[in-house]
DNA sequence: CTGTCTGCAAACTTTTTGCATATAG
DNA sequence: CTATATGCAAAAAGTTTGCAGACAG
């Protein structure tokens, strides 16, 4: 129960995939659309696990398999179409590609987006109690950056 | 091949555990000492997975079981004696309890501590290439903070 | 057409659990 | 003593893989 023009938007999706050497398949479209639909239902950005995406996407595409969901989520994340959030429990993916932080509640475990301009102080004003924070930077360490590329061994 | 005074230090360890309602067992001491030994060997802070800790600790305490290691690591982390780092692959723990960030190399996957005063610019000067960063804040969301405590249901 | 992608089911890795026993306090 | 912690082994949870066939480009 949720598809926009099914023409312009889908073309854009196909383009983005092609730009990363990925083919536009019905499975990937179904998987990606789960995030759009969830956002519409939740009002806010959803953070979905592979299993949740699988269950939802299967509604539109019953023959979809888990392996395909895992593959597609990894590919979409690598292509920059989805964001990947590591944490306790399964990995979660979100469609919010813009720079943002995440806040996880110790009790309900719910994950919420935090815009970059709202840090701990602002959060506290909104009723969040920040107990710990963790920053993970990723890229190339000096050793690997010095090596031309992981060609030979 | 690595134990300090085996008296004062151990007492401190027992005290810290007791302060969190945990008993001082030989297993927990062996598990915790793995980090101290690793730090001495590596010169820098080690980020160990449960399996690595298990293998190392078993040298001192052969009858140690995996389940105990998983339990102990979780308890020590919750008690604030160890830090927990989530990411791809297994969870990793470190003995660096002070506030710090982590940097993971995309190629070698190695994890390094990053002091708070050295952010992306400083890292770049040191030869690191930061490609992405992720911040995870944890605590209580407005809803759970409002509820007195998760008593009834 | 051709090479990528998919489905299936099984393997693999990582973590948790149940229960009888051992042990710290 | 008594409740907590442990060991064992099995299961649950989460993710990856191999291979034959389907489909996008």
């Amino acid at each position: 129960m949720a598809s926009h023009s099914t023409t312009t938007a889908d073309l854009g999706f196909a383009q983005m995939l092609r730009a990363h050497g990925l083919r536009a398949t019905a499975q990937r479209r179904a998987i990606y659309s789960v995030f759009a639909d969830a956002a519409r239902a939740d009002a806010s950005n959803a953070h979905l696990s592979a299993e949740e995406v699988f269950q939802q996407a299967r509604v539109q595409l019953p023959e979809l398999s888990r392996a395909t969901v895992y593959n597609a989520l990894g590919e979409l994340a690598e292509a920059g179409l989805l964001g990947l959030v590591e944490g306790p429990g399964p990995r979660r993916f979100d469609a919010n590609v813009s720079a943002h932080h995440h806040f996880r509640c110790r009790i309900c475990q719910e994950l919420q987006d935090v815009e970059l301009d709202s840090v701990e102080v602002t959060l506290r004003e909104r009723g969040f109690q920040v107990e710990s924070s963790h920053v993970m930077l990723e890229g190339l360490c000096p050793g690997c950056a010095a090596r031309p590329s992981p060609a030979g061994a």
Side-chain angles (χ1 to χ4, degrees), chain A:
Chain A
M1 295 312 200
S3 291
H4 8 301
S5 331
T6 339
T7 309
T8 317
D10 287 7
L11 258 189
F13 182 68
Q15 296 263 297
M16 287 222 63
L17 289 182
R18 302 265 351 273
H20 291 273
L22 298 174
R23 290 185 177 173
T25 65
Q27 289 83 348
R28 288 173 180 167
R29 223 181 309 264
I31 286 166
Y32 187 73
S33 76
V34 167
F35 290 92
D37 293 356
R40 218 162 302 139
D42 271 69
S44 77
N45 184 46
H47 300 87
L48 307 170
S49 65
E51 182 64 22
E52 288 166 349
V53 172
F54 172 61
Q55 297 300 341
Q56 283 301 312
R58 213 158 46 147
V59 175
Q60 310 173 220
L61 207 71
E63 71 272 30
L64 181 66
S65 77
R66 266 189 193 76
T68 297
V69 173
Y70 276 98
N71 288 339
L73 288 175
E75 292 154 353
L76 291 174
E78 192 143 338
L81 281 170
L82 291 179
L84 166 58
V85 194
E86 311 264 11
R91 289 176 193 178
R92 293 183 171 276
F93 298 82
D94 66 331
N96 184 351
V97 167
S98 69
H100 65 284
H101 301 341
H102 287 117
F103 181 95
R104 186 197 318 275
C105 177
R106 196 189 67 221
I107 295 178
C108 67
Q109 293 290 307
E110 207 63 33
L111 216 53
Q112 302 192 32
D113 283 356
V114 177
E115 297 314 314
L116 286 177
D117 58 6
S118 14
V119 259
E120 303 198 12
V121 183
T122 311
L123 278 177
R124 199 157 305 157
E125 290 170 358
R126 293 194 201 164
F128 288 89
Q129 285 181 22
V130 179
E131 296 177 334
S132 74
S133 66
H134 189 88
V135 180
M136 176 66 82
L137 303 158
E138 291 177 302
L140 264 34
C141 68
C144 291
R147 247 179 292 277
S149 72

